[in-house]
Amino acid sequence: MVYDNVVLIGFMGSGKTSVGRILARELFKDFKDVDTIIEERENASVTEIFEKKGEAYFRDLEQKCINELTEKKGQIIATGGGLPIFSSLSEKSLIIYMDADFDVILKRLSKREREKRPLLADETRARALFEERKDTYKELAAFSVDANQRIVVFIHVIRDYILDQRVL
Ligand code: S3P
């Protein structure tokens, strides 16, 4: 199988954006972050979009954005945590799951980082969401990486996996 793009999936705060940026630099690919693209287009933060237009509107933007992005090739794409749950992904995407535990994620995120994510506001509900989604992430992914440690510890595992695959 020849893949067009690498798509990183996983729960909020699992490190998709940071890892994607590093991988893109190391592998000479373009880096794209779906949340950032949506925020720029809407000229509003994700929190503002959720508040003013609602989650369904945001999910629609996500599907449109990932469809547009995957028309091109050779990119490392970081998705929002809900994107693979609500949107369908191209079969030509090499999907990698950043598998981090909920408690690790909570510890990792500063208060400010948590506030950027409306679905993390209530810890009990966020934990339930995590439990609800984790099996789907794993099922969708061609490869899962243990993302509980610091990025420097596991980034080479993802890089080596990608290099073993045929990604344009
Ligand atoms: C969401 C994750 C967020 C962002 C939005 C919704 C989710 O992205 O898209 O707040 O449903 O899990 P990150 O995974 O980058 O935090």
Side-chain angles (χ1 to χ4, degrees):
M1 173 77 175
V2 185
Y3 296 101
D4 288 348
N5 297 288
V6 173
V7 173
L8 301 176
I9 66 168
F11 203 65
M12 295 171 260
S14 56
K16 294 161 293 195
T17 301
S18 310
V19 164
R21 203 172 275 130
I22 298 170
L23 284 174
R25 202 171 50 224
E26 290 184 354
L27 298 169
F28 304 101
K29 305 265 183 220
D30 288 331
F31 173 64
K32 297 283 160 57
D33 183 78
V34 175
D35 280 344
T36 307
I37 293 173
I38 291 176
E39 290 184 321
E40 281 169 7
R41 283 187 186 164
E42 292 289 299
N43 200 18
S45 68
V46 170
T47 307
E48 285 165 349
I49 302 171
F50 265 65
E51 276 171 14
K52 293 192 185 131
K53 309 240 171 120
E55 182 173 345
Y57 177 83
F58 176 76
R59 298 301 175 198
D60 198 41
L61 294 179
E62 281 189 312
Q63 178 74 75
K64 286 190 184 123
C65 185
I66 194 72
N67 287 352
E68 275 172 42
L69 285 176
T70 50
E71 276 168 21
K72 293 200 191 127
K73 297 174 185 171
Q75 309 158 105
I76 310 274
I77 301 171
T79 59
L83 189 145
I85 309 293
F86 291 92
S87 297
S88 50
L89 291 167
S90 159
E91 281 176 11
K92 293 189 132 200
S93 298
L94 179 62
I95 302 175
I96 299 178
Y97 171 35
M98 307 270 305
D99 187 0
D101 296 341
F102 186 74
D103 291 314
V104 171
I105 287 171
L106 270 197
K107 260 193 231 149
R108 203 181 263 168
L109 292 176
S110 63
K111 190 165 173 279
R112 202 169 148 264
E113 284 295 321
R114 280 211 298 268
E115 280 166 2
K116 281 192 206 158
R117 295 167 166 96
L119 298 178
L120 272 188
D122 178 328
E123 194 184 312
T124 312
R125 285 173 74 176
R127 192 182 290 274
L129 197 61
F130 175 85
E131 291 301 327
E132 203 180 292
R133 288 178 175 178
K134 65 178 190 197
D135 291 344
T136 308
Y137 290 141
K138 207 162 223 155
E139 279 160 25
L140 288 170
F143 184 68
S144 299
V145 65
D146 180 349
N148 284 307
Q149 286 165 302
R150 292 194 309 130
I151 290 172
V152 282
V153 179
F154 66 81
I155 190 106
H156 71 278
V157 178
I158 312 183
R159 191 188 50 228
D160 292 351
Y161 174 76
I162 294 172
L163 287 171
D164 279 345
Q165 308 299 311
R166 293 187 60 207
V167 184
L168 295 169

